[in-house]
Amino acid sequence: MIIAVSGTPGVGKTTVSKLLSERLGYEYVSVKDFALMKGIGEPVGEEVEIDVDALAREVRAEFSGKNVVIDGHLSHLVLADVVVVLRLHPKVVAERLKSRGYSHQKLAENVEAELIDVILVEALEENESVLEVDTTGKTPEEIVDEILELLEKGMKKRVGVVDWTGAYDDVLQYLMLGGD
């Protein structure tokens, strides 16, 4: 089974993915590391630009029929048996990214993406089985327990779990309004 764990930067993908793969006994795969190893990703500054179509092909070729947890904010764009989209209150995302030294522009882009469900919408466009999980105020263990419970129930789709429209005022200071 291929499980893709995706979400906006700062939601806890890597921590949750590693714990989930450990609990399931699955191989852990970082999208960034995999793309670099396969020559389909190129370092640009501190980020890695990845050919998403090539990523999808390589993941299918390498992991079809295997048990893996694929971690990365592009993992929802590969063909997976289930995509878990982690969500986190946009203000917490902003605070985490700020502490990581993100530029104001990158911070604003990611806060806006979380606010308006960008990853979730893309995941739904690409995959049949999408499970949305709100990580706000939960430990990694609680999040993994929730994911495992959803998988054990055979749930194929769970979306609409979060609605950040009420969070707009909380994150206004982090957004780039008026083309700043």
Side-chain angles (χ1 to χ4, degrees):
M1 173 184 274
I2 298 174
I3 301 172
V5 178
S6 194
T8 307
V11 298
K13 292 179 300 297
T14 299
T15 302
V16 168
S17 295
K18 287 180 177 179
L19 185 57
L20 180 63
S21 66
E22 183 180 302
R23 295 260 306 266
L24 287 169
Y26 285 17
E27 180 180 351
Y28 166 82
V29 178
S30 159
V31 163
K32 187 188 306 184
D33 294 344
F34 181 74
L36 289 170
M37 181 184 76
K38 291 294 185 177
I40 55 173
E42 183 177 319
V44 176
E46 292 185 22
E47 296 185 21
V48 175
E49 287 187 5
I50 297 172
D51 178 335
V52 178
D53 292 332
L55 174 67
R57 283 191 305 274
E58 290 290 337
V59 164
R60 196 173 319 117
E62 183 90 11
F63 301 114
S64 186
K66 295 181 181 174
N67 292 325
V68 297
V69 174
I70 301 175
D71 160 35
H73 78 277
L74 296 176
S75 67
H76 63 281
L77 300 175
V78 304
L79 189 60
D81 296 298
V82 63
V83 176
V84 177
V85 178
L86 301 181
R87 305 297 306 278
L88 181 64
H89 191 286
K91 185 172 184 176
V92 181
V93 169
E95 291 165 358
R96 286 183 182 177
L97 299 184
K98 188 174 182 180
S99 74
R100 292 181 185 177
Y102 274 51
S103 70
H104 182 67
Q105 181 179 345
K106 288 302 282 181
L107 189 148
E109 288 171 8
N110 286 297
V111 168
E112 181 180 19
E114 181 61 26
L115 190 64
I116 63 170
D117 308 336
V118 168
I119 301 286
L120 179 63
V121 170
E122 290 177 355
L124 288 166
E125 289 172 350
E126 297 292 327
N127 292 277
E128 303 247 341
S129 182
V130 177
L131 304 174
E132 180 183 27
V133 176
D134 184 1
T135 66
T136 309
K138 297 176 186 169
T139 66
E141 291 78 11
E142 291 170 329
I143 297 162
V144 170
D145 287 344
E146 184 174 338
I147 294 167
L148 291 172
E149 184 179 320
L150 295 170
L151 292 172
E152 287 168 11
K153 288 180 179 176
M155 191 164 288
K156 296 291 182 196
K157 191 169 281 182
R158 184 178 87 158
V159 296
V161 173
V162 299
D163 177 0
W164 299 136
T165 54
Y168 182 77
D169 289 340
D170 294 337
V171 297
L172 193 56
Q173 65 182 324
Y174 300 108
L175 301 174
M176 295 184 71
L177 305 173
D180 290 339

